[in-house]
Amino acid sequence: SSPLKNPVRDVFSPAGSSQSLTAQVQALFAGRAGGMWDMGDLSTLFQDTAGATPVTTVAQTIARANDISGNGKNATQATAGSRPAYQTNGAYNCARFSAHVLSTGNIDLSASTMALVSIAFAPNAWTFGLVSEFGPNAFSNNGSLYVSLGESGAGFFYLFARSTANDIVRNTSSISLSTPVVLTAYIDLSVASATAKLDALINGASGGTTVIADAADASANWMNSSMNFGGRNGGSVFSSCDVFAAVIRGGSATAGEIALVDEWTRSRVGL
């Protein structure tokens, strides 16, 4: 059977280009720091950190998820008991986290105040935990961000970014357990207003966020730090969630680039 979960979107671009949607997003990383991970694609997943033993079936654990951006920022976990499992959620494949973390090496976004972030995930419980985090601890490190579950009760997730103080938005309409959602945000840490700074797309639509915290903050560049999935680097603040795909890219982005990345991430869960 085809390894593509959405063959039409995976093979053809919106503009009818002969280049696949995946290849078009990969091309956005030329000369740019960042990473791109497809945790539903078996060809990128391995049971060991060296990348010698591929994941081949459901329930096997993931020690390494390759970065497909070309930047080599593979997400890995050396401790066997802290590795997520390869699983299915409906028609789509994912990494399933519950007291597990995958972490990359440092991604140097420090040349810019701007970054484009996109992630497809599904909550499996509303206990507080991190779906993803860029930085060692976003609460206390300028130039960092996270996506969390459970901070605002059942049905809601937070998008948190820190320049010199903390800005937070959450989804306005609640979501259901095990239901995939795609969050895409173009975040400029030189922008003071949380409304403008964290104006995110949810499942391809704008206007679906509510401001939780709008701090009086100054401009800051992004960090040179790791991207982490399922919890905090080092093993804490775990979430119970499925992660299907994610992108982070430093620097400015056009409206077309934002839309392209959002479409690719949504295509991993059929949205």
Side-chain angles (χ1 to χ4, degrees):
S1 63
S2 170
L4 306 180
K5 286 300 185 180
N6 192 323
V8 173
R9 282 185 175 169
D10 215 32
V11 174
F12 299 106
S13 76
S17 167
S18 61
Q19 192 177 44
S20 73
L21 182 57
T22 295
Q24 289 181 80
V25 175
Q26 289 170 322
L28 300 181
F29 287 90
R32 293 292 194 96
M36 177 180 179
W37 305 269
D38 187 346
M39 297 188 189
D41 181 355
L42 283 173
S43 71
T44 73
L45 305 178
F46 298 88
Q47 297 181 67
D48 63 317
T49 58
T53 305
V55 173
T56 59
T57 190
V58 166
Q60 290 179 342
T61 57
I62 301 168
R64 170 169 157 169
N66 277 358
D67 170 18
I68 61 174
S69 75
N71 285 332
K73 300 302 182 180
N74 304 324
T76 63
Q77 176 54 256
T79 303
S82 297
R83 296 169 180 168
Y86 178 70
Q87 286 290 354
T88 60
N89 179 319
Y92 300 94
N93 300 327
C94 59
R96 181 158 294 167
F97 293 85
S98 179
H100 312 113
V101 179
L102 291 175
S103 298
T104 71
N106 280 2
I107 299 173
D108 189 359
L109 305 185
S110 62
S112 180
T113 64
M114 295 168 283
L116 174 58
V117 181
S118 187
I119 186 166
F121 66 96
N124 290 323
W126 293 116
T127 305
F128 169 58
L130 301 177
V131 176
S132 63
E133 183 174 46
F134 177 73
N137 183 332
F139 275 110
S140 56
N141 289 276
N142 297 348
S144 56
L145 69 88
Y146 69 60
V147 177
S148 69
L149 302 175
E151 288 193 83
S152 194
F156 299 98
F157 59 84
Y158 273 5
L159 170 61
F160 173 108
R162 180 181 174 89
S163 50
T164 59
N166 302 334
D167 290 314
I168 310 168
V169 298
R170 69 161 173 81
N171 50 312
T172 302
S173 300
S174 66
I175 60 174
S176 301
L177 290 176
S178 303
T179 300
V181 61
V182 174
L183 172 68
T184 300
Y186 178 49
I187 306 172
D188 186 348
L189 295 181
S190 71
V191 174
S193 163
T195 303
K197 180 185 295 181
L198 301 178
D199 183 19
L201 298 173
I202 298 177
N203 294 342
S206 60
T209 57
T210 298
V211 173
I212 300 297
D214 191 353
D217 48 1
S219 178
N221 284 20
W222 289 99
M223 297 189 73
N224 176 13
S225 192
S226 61
M227 186 70 169
N228 310 286
F229 301 101
R232 181 157 290 157
N233 194 350
S236 63
V237 201
F238 301 115
S239 68
S240 180
C241 68
D242 295 339
V243 175
F244 303 87
V247 172
I248 187 168
R249 192 193 74 160
S252 63
T254 67
E257 290 171 339
I258 297 166
L260 188 66
V261 167
D262 182 62
E263 180 163 2
W264 179 80
T265 310
R266 286 187 289 112
S267 77
R268 313 333 288 164
V269 291
L271 292 172

